């Protein structure tokens, strides 16, 4: 299950972000996952609590947003939605397209609890 290793890499990144910002806790994580990314969102959701145990993001809410599949057409220049098995231009039907969205696994946002200068919890920031 490579979703567990993805979660571990995500938590490494979150740990670095939290340390850079002086955060004591990660409250919310928003990931954008495309259907062509090779990542199964339900498996990612299942693996996250296992990987997050004992980390600064242990109690964080994990939100996974689906990313649309979009293509840019070389023939007519349109940018349109597509499906995983048919990456055709939705405007002219051409097969000469370039994928512009749908294969990403993106950390879209992170909400942190920052420490006050006296070491107590303060406001949440993004």
């Amino acid at each position: 299950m490579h979703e567990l290793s993805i979660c571990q890499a995500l938590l490494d990144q979150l740990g670095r972000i939290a340390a850079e910002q002086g955060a004591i806790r990660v409250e919310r994580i928003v990931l954008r996952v495309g259907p062509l990314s090779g990542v199964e969102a339900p498996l990612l959701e299942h693996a996250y609590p296992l990987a997050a145990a004992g980390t600064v993001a242990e109690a964080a809410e994990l939100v996974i947003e689906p990313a649309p599949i979009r293509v840019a057409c070389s023939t007519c220049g349109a940018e349109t939605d597509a499906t995983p098995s048919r990456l055709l231009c939705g405007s002219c039907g051409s097969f000469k397209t370039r994928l512009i969205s749908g294969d990403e696994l993106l950390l879209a946002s992170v909400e942190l609890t920052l420490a006050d200068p006296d070491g107590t919890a303060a406001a949440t920031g993004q």
Side-chain angles (χ1 to χ4, degrees), residues 13-60:
Q13 184 178 12
L14 291 170
R16 285 191 301 275
I17 291 168
E20 289 170 4
Q21 299 299 317
I24 58 171
R25 189 171 44 253
V26 176
E27 298 291 339
R28 187 169 190 260
I29 305 155
V30 178
L31 298 178
R32 194 164 299 126
V33 180
L36 301 176
S37 68
V39 176
E40 295 291 331
L43 295 177
L44 196 63
E45 289 172 335
H46 183 71
Y48 179 78
L50 301 171
T55 70
V56 70
E58 181 173 25

Side-chain angles (χ1 to χ4, degrees), residues 12-109:
D12 288 345
Q13 184 178 12
L14 291 170
R16 285 191 301 275
I17 291 168
E20 289 170 4
Q21 299 299 317
I24 58 171
R25 189 171 44 253
V26 176
E27 298 291 339
R28 187 169 190 260
I29 305 155
V30 178
L31 298 178
R32 194 164 299 126
V33 180
L36 301 176
S37 68
V39 176
E40 295 291 331
L43 295 177
L44 196 63
E45 289 172 335
H46 183 71
Y48 179 78
L50 301 171
T55 70
V56 70
E58 181 173 25
E61 174 190 10
L62 177 64
V63 177
I64 299 177
E65 298 175 343
I69 299 174
R70 304 239 339 134
V71 294
C73 182
S74 300
T75 303
C76 72
E79 290 185 7
T80 60
D81 290 335
T83 61
S85 59
R86 294 184 51 89
L87 301 176
L88 302 176
C89 177
S91 183
C92 72
S94 174
F95 66 89
K96 295 179 181 179
T97 60
R98 178 180 50 84
L99 187 66
I100 56 174
S101 173
D103 63 345
E104 66 268 28
L105 172 59
L106 176 71
L107 177 56
S109 70

